[in-house]
Amino acid sequence: MALIVQKYGGTSVGTVERIKNAAKRISETVNEGNRVVVVVSAMGKSTDQLVNLANEITEQPSKREMDMLLTTGEQVSISLLTMALQQLGYEAVSLTGWQAGIQTEDCFGNARITAIHTERIQEALRLNKIVVVAGFQGVTAGGEIATLGRGGSDTTAVALAAALKAEKCEIFTDVKGVYTTDPRVVSHARKLEAISYDEMLEMANLGAGVLHPRAVEFAKNYHVTLEVRSSLEKESGTIVEEEPTMEQNLIVKGLAFKSNITKVTVSGMPNRLTTLADVFTLLASNGINVDIIIQEANGETVNISFSISSDVLDDALQVLESNRSRLAFEAIYHQQELAKVSIVGSGMISNPGVAAQMFDVLANSGVMIEMVSTSEIKISTVVAQDKMTTAIEGLHEAFKLDLREPIAQ
Amino acid sequence: MALIVQKYGGTSVGTVERIKNAAKRISETVNEGNRVVVVVSAMGKSTDQLVNLANEITEQPSKREMDMLLTTGEQVSISLLTMALQQLGYEAVSLTGWQAGIQTEDCFGNARITAIHTERIQEALRLNKIVVVAGFQGVTAGGEIATLGRGGSDTTAVALAAALKAEKCEIFTDVKGVYTTDPRVVSHARKLEAISYDEMLEMANLGAGVLHPRAVEFAKNYHVTLEVRSSLEKESGTIVEEEPTMEQNLIVKGLAFKSNITKVTVSGMPNRLTTLADVFTLLASNGINVDIIIQEANGETVNISFSISSDVLDDALQVLESNRSRLAFEAIYHQQELAKVSIVGSGMISNPGVAAQMFDVLANSGVMIEMVSTSEIKISTVVAQDKMTTAIEGLHEAFKLDLREPIAQ
């Protein structure tokens, strides 16, 4: 009898009908002879409604009280889903974060799980109950209710799967799985059967929003097999595991992209040991997140280019200008209307020609590359916004992402 | 520096504006040099909305899951009220039932408080914080979330006041205090300055809905001074305490009434030892609540009359008829369209003429009395529904309830 952890996101429990549907899905897994622990998010837009209420009271609610407020959302979901399971004739019990023994560090709004005391869940499983746990929340050592921050319910599910040594952690969502790229942009984007943790991490960090990076990291560290699948359709989804048993011969596994990027170049700074640190410490301490960084030294002077979200351009320029004398730069240039396009795949490590092939494809598609950044399993390029779709389609075709490679190849 | 417990009901925190208003009231009490513990109900209609959600899922939600669901309502209120206090510049902290150490017996939907572990509240008070506690909820020894049932937030407030040895427990509500009778029926009904626990208990049990009887009982047992007052107006309300220091010379303190009553008479039963027990055990085991009971024995046979809510008349008749042979009665009569009118006052104990005066007043007002029931501090009469208002007005005037008696009298 296998133990399976299932996670249902906000849209999957967004209405009474969907809650009943989720209950049916869970009951099917039980009927197949499995024990099931379910992790649930808050219903659809309910978290937003609570945030709005708080904002009507104060512009700056304390983090502790926000956590107190927001965790009610998941508490509503677990009780309703448990009622739906009981209505179908199954024994089920709901548990809040503190009841489920989910211990977090001592902070609010973005706490990390430090331990899970599984006794209470184990006891309920022994009594053949379906256990429904509130996602996104835990309790500090001091007995404070804390939320896990963004993507928190995914993390709850993976952490529970690890602590309970579950066979699999199924993440139910409103898409069918992990795609080679966004199907809304590339119509022949294909659902992957399997992907490695590292590939999934790169995809997630690059903006493919099906799984939160923190949850993937957790799964990787604790060897939890994930499956991303649809809560509305029966077909199997995408398996995320250490060594994908299928499709391992695909060099490039997926394509991610992000719009609204600006490239900033600070030129003519003295080439000191601390120059890089000076610039990026300054930006970080002002809350400006930098993505790609390129340094180009010309003997005594150095030019530094970096990419940022266009939203923070004004802030970045102002911070740099007001430190002009200390940084001693000659000029600042910036280029807006850019996008980042990345290819991801662990097969790249042993295929050094991939970057060249990518650049070749983009050149042949008439796409000029403004910046490049590489990791072991990812190559990112920054291109003009109006060339983004051309770049994605060219790469999707060139790397044969719409075809399933035969396993034996 | 006095410690005051304040309780704000659902209408007092029904909107963001009212929450801000409650925060202002609390801050005024703090500014007067008091430490304050606040108990809050769920916002206005939010509990009803949650109940509706549950009913969309299942007709018979389990009590445990209902408690899990409903307790989110107070958790939302405490966080929002705490934010509002912080916005006014006050240090405040919200606590759920389990965080506040409110221990209940091991049942759901209607649990009683068994103990309060006040360490966490005391610690917050030591740090000069306003403590905002979720009403209506506690935690069982097994770590289950349980609600206290109807009037639960009143009980939470009184129990906390007792455990913390507070100087006073103020119940803020949408009326100005306890009235001699319902001001919507008798326009010259008067707000009482003080009333004893027993009088309040009788008034509450008789349907004067400002305070739940369970909370009054708790206050009486632990000698907690209560004040019922308006959350919208500044004036002082009605003090409930052991020996009211004011108005002690009023023999009759208040007038309560209830419509929709039916009198049922079961006649000609054999006068056995077990006859009364037989009839009322049968009714109770079928969920039929009986109020006034009158037994009239005629040698070998006995007639029993009782009053019930008209809603359960059909059930009562059916249960009795289907046990006709066992009960061996001759006939059943019933009389609908009745109402109960009661006078309450601890001064009656030493004034034996009060009942006679009441009957006299009713007779002079042309009101026929169908049934009578008396306790030490209460006399109830059942009269025709269409004479109810006449009865109330006559009694209100005869017992001078609209006049404040001079204390020295």
Side-chain angles (χ1 to χ4, degrees):
Chain A
M1 202 160 70
L3 173 62
I4 292 180
V5 174
Q6 297 189 331
K7 180 253 170 177
Y8 292 85
T11 50
S12 303
V13 293
T15 64
V16 164
E17 271 325 300
R18 287 187 175 198
I19 288 173
K20 289 180 181 174
N21 183 62
K24 205 152 156 291
R25 281 305 286 267
I26 294 163
S27 71
E28 284 161 9
T29 309
V30 171
N31 292 347
E32 285 160 10
N34 302 293
R35 292 176 302 155
V36 181
V37 173
V38 186
V39 174
V40 204
S41 302
M43 290 175 75
K45 302 283 169 209
S46 66
T47 302
D48 292 344
Q49 287 165 2
L50 292 172
V51 170
N52 289 344
L53 264 181
N55 287 338
E56 282 181 57
I57 301 266
T58 167
E59 283 174 17
Q60 294 211 307
S62 78
K63 284 186 176 179
R64 181 190 185 279
E65 298 305 326
M66 274 309 273
D67 283 2
M68 179 66 86
L69 180 67
L70 296 184
T71 49
T72 62
E74 286 77 26
Q75 193 171 329
V76 168
S77 304
I78 57 172
S79 59
L80 294 177
L81 180 58
T82 302
M83 288 177 194
L85 286 164
Q86 291 170 341
Q87 172 71 10
L88 293 177
Y90 292 82
E91 292 262 332
V93 63
S94 66
L95 296 175
T96 62
W98 62 270
Q99 289 180 324
I102 297 171
Q103 196 83 46
T104 72
E105 54 184 2
D106 194 14
C107 79
F108 298 108
N110 202 21
R112 275 175 301 195
I113 296 175
T114 52
I116 301 188
H117 305 295
T118 59
E119 297 80 2
R120 197 154 167 184
I121 296 176
Q122 300 276 19
E123 175 61 22
L125 289 172
R126 256 195 302 278
L127 297 170
N128 277 318
K129 290 184 181 177
I130 302 167
V131 184
V132 182
V133 178
F136 181 64
Q137 61 182 248
V139 64
T140 71
E144 300 279 16
I145 297 174
T147 66
L148 309 180
R150 299 198 62 184
S153 288
D154 287 349
T155 309
T156 304
V158 175
L160 276 175
L164 295 166
K165 302 192 198 324
E167 186 172 285
K168 196 162 64 165
C169 178
E170 299 180 337
I171 308 285
F172 286 85
T173 174
D174 51 354
V175 296
K176 290 182 191 172
V178 182
Y179 279 72
T180 51
T181 192
D182 190 335
R184 287 168 300 186
V185 173
V186 178
S187 61
H188 44 266
R190 186 171 59 79
K191 190 184 77 188
L192 293 163
E193 292 188 19
I195 190 171
S196 74
Y197 296 120
D198 286 339
E199 289 169 335
M200 189 67 226
L201 264 178
E202 291 285 6
M203 293 290 279
N205 274 318
L206 291 168
V210 272
L211 260 181
H212 197 271
R214 196 192 272 184
V216 181
E217 249 178 65
F218 216 109
K220 177 180 152 83
N221 291 341
Y222 291 93
H223 308 288
V224 173
T225 300
L226 295 174
E227 181 173 354
V228 179
R229 57 192 304 183
S230 164
S231 61
L232 300 171
E233 295 173 57
K234 278 292 288 179
E235 63 181 290
S236 58
T238 301
I239 299 281
V240 187
E241 57 189 348
E242 194 55 60
E243 290 292 331
T245 47
M246 319 259 269
E247 305 191 69
Q248 52 195 326
N249 297 312
L250 268 185
I251 294 169
V252 174
K253 202 57 93 38
L255 241 165
F257 50 88
K258 206 181 256 176
S259 298
N260 196 32
I261 284 173
T262 291
K263 174 185 174 185
V264 176
T265 302
V266 187
S267 76
M269 284 184 286
N271 194 359
R272 299 183 198 129
L273 258 178
T274 59
T275 304
L276 266 175
D278 286 348
V279 171
F280 294 106
T281 306
L282 182 64
L283 291 168
S285 66
N286 282 277
I288 296 161
N289 281 323
V290 169
D291 186 8
I292 299 177
I293 296 172
I294 290 167
Q295 186 189 225
E296 189 195 346
N298 299 310
E300 306 238 314
T301 66
V302 64
N303 301 334
I304 293 174
S305 296
F306 55 86
S307 68
I308 52 177
S309 165
S310 301
D311 304 334
V312 295
L313 174 62
D314 289 347
D315 289 350
L317 294 180
Q318 205 227 309
V319 165
L320 291 169
E321 284 294 351
S322 62
N323 286 274
R324 182 168 206 141
S325 58
R326 185 159 70 83
L327 298 174
F329 55 81
E330 276 166 16
I332 300 180
Y333 313 102
H334 66 268
Q335 190 177 354
Q336 286 178 281
E337 304 277 320
L338 299 175
K340 185 167 75 163
V341 175
S342 311
I343 57 174
V344 174
S346 51
M348 287 181 199
I349 300 173
S350 45
N351 286 272
V354 178
Q357 194 184 347
M358 181 182 191
F359 303 153
D360 192 45
V361 169
L362 292 178
N364 287 335
S365 306
V367 178
M368 176 79 92
I369 300 171
E370 299 292 340
M371 300 177 89
V372 173
S373 153
T374 61
S375 80
E376 289 197 319
I377 64 166
K378 179 202 70 175
I379 304 167
S380 293
T381 58
V382 173
V383 302
Q385 178 71 57
D386 60 9
K387 293 287 187 184
M388 184 182 85
T389 308
T390 311
I392 294 166
E393 286 181 339
L395 291 168
H396 203 269
E397 198 187 334
F399 287 107
K400 300 191 171 67
L401 291 178
D402 45 350
L403 303 174
R404 178 168 316 159
E405 304 279 298
I407 297 168
Q409 192 191 336
Chain B
M1 202 160 71
L3 174 63
I4 292 179
V5 174
Q6 297 190 331
K7 181 254 173 178
Y8 291 85
T11 49
S12 302
V13 293
T15 63
V16 164
E17 271 325 299
R18 287 187 176 197
I19 288 173
K20 289 180 181 174
N21 183 62
K24 206 153 155 293
R25 281 307 284 268
I26 295 163
S27 71
E28 284 162 8
T29 309
V30 171
N31 292 348
E32 286 160 9
N34 302 293
R35 292 176 302 154
V36 181
V37 173
V38 186
V39 174
V40 203
S41 302
M43 290 174 73
K45 301 284 171 208
S46 67
T47 301
D48 292 345
Q49 287 165 2
L50 292 172
V51 170
N52 288 344
L53 264 180
N55 288 338
E56 282 183 56
I57 300 268
T58 169
E59 283 174 16
Q60 293 211 307
S62 78
K63 284 188 177 178
R64 180 189 185 278
E65 298 305 326
M66 274 310 273
D67 282 2
M68 180 66 86
L69 180 66
L70 296 183
T71 49
T72 62
E74 286 77 25
Q75 193 171 329
V76 168
S77 304
I78 56 170
S79 58
L80 293 177
L81 180 58
T82 303
M83 288 178 196
L85 286 163
Q86 291 170 341
Q87 172 70 10
L88 293 177
Y90 292 81
E91 292 262 333
V93 64
S94 67
L95 297 175
T96 63
W98 62 270
Q99 289 180 325
I102 296 170
Q103 197 83 46
T104 72
E105 56 184 359
D106 194 16
C107 80
F108 297 108
N110 202 21
R112 274 175 302 196
I113 296 174
T114 52
I116 300 188
H117 306 294
T118 58
E119 297 81 1
R120 198 155 167 182
I121 295 176
Q122 299 276 19
E123 175 60 22
L125 289 172
R126 256 193 302 279
L127 296 169
N128 276 316
K129 291 183 180 177
I130 302 167
V131 184
V132 182
V133 178
F136 180 64
Q137 62 182 250
V139 64
T140 72
E144 299 280 15
I145 297 173
T147 66
L148 309 180
R150 297 198 63 183
S153 289
D154 286 351
T155 309
T156 303
V158 174
L160 275 175
L164 295 166
K165 303 191 195 326
E167 185 171 288
K168 195 164 65 165
C169 177
E170 299 180 336
I171 309 285
F172 286 85
T173 175
D174 51 353
V175 296
K176 289 182 193 173
V178 182
Y179 278 72
T180 51
T181 192
D182 189 336
R184 287 168 302 188
V185 173
V186 179
S187 60
H188 44 264
R190 186 172 57 81
K191 190 184 76 187
L192 293 163
E193 292 187 19
I195 189 171
S196 75
Y197 297 119
D198 287 339
E199 289 169 334
M200 190 66 228
L201 263 177
E202 292 286 7
M203 293 290 279
N205 273 320
L206 291 169
V210 272
L211 261 180
H212 198 270
R214 196 191 273 183
V216 181
E217 247 178 68
F218 217 110
K220 176 179 152 85
N221 291 341
Y222 292 92
H223 308 289
V224 174
T225 300
L226 294 175
E227 182 173 354
V228 179
R229 57 193 301 185
S230 164
S231 59
L232 299 171
E233 295 173 56
K234 279 291 287 177
E235 64 181 291
S236 58
T238 301
I239 299 281
V240 187
E241 58 189 346
E242 196 54 60
E243 290 293 332
T245 47
M246 320 260 269
E247 306 191 66
Q248 52 196 325
N249 297 311
L250 268 184
I251 294 169
V252 174
K253 203 57 95 33
L255 241 165
F257 50 88
K258 208 182 254 176
S259 298
N260 197 31
I261 284 173
T262 291
K263 173 184 175 184
V264 177
T265 303
V266 186
S267 76
M269 285 184 288
N271 195 0
R272 300 185 197 127
L273 257 181
T274 60
T275 304
L276 264 177
D278 287 347
V279 171
F280 295 106
T281 305
L282 184 63
L283 291 169
S285 66
N286 283 276
I288 296 159
N289 281 323
V290 169
D291 185 8
I292 299 176
I293 295 172
I294 291 167
Q295 186 189 223
E296 186 194 350
N298 299 310
E300 306 237 315
T301 63
V302 65
N303 301 335
I304 293 174
S305 296
F306 53 87
S307 68
I308 52 176
S309 165
S310 301
D311 304 333
V312 296
L313 174 62
D314 289 347
D315 290 350
L317 294 180
Q318 206 226 307
V319 165
L320 291 169
E321 283 295 352
S322 62
N323 286 274
R324 180 169 208 138
S325 59
R326 185 158 71 84
L327 297 175
F329 55 82
E330 275 168 17
I332 299 180
Y333 313 100
H334 66 268
Q335 188 176 354
Q336 288 178 278
E337 304 276 320
L338 299 175
K340 185 167 75 163
V341 175
S342 312
I343 56 173
V344 174
S346 51
M348 289 182 197
I349 301 173
S350 45
N351 286 273
V354 177
Q357 193 183 349
M358 182 182 190
F359 304 152
D360 192 46
V361 169
L362 291 178
N364 287 336
S365 308
V367 178
M368 175 81 90
I369 299 170
E370 299 292 340
M371 300 177 89
V372 173
S373 154
T374 60
S375 80
E376 291 197 318
I377 64 165
K378 180 201 70 177
I379 303 167
S380 292
T381 58
V382 172
V383 302
Q385 177 71 56
D386 60 9
K387 295 284 188 187
M388 184 181 84
T389 308
T390 310
I392 295 166
E393 285 179 341
L395 292 167
H396 203 269
E397 198 187 334
F399 287 107
K400 300 189 172 67
L401 290 179
D402 46 349
L403 303 175
R404 180 170 314 161
E405 302 281 297
I407 297 170
Q409 191 189 336

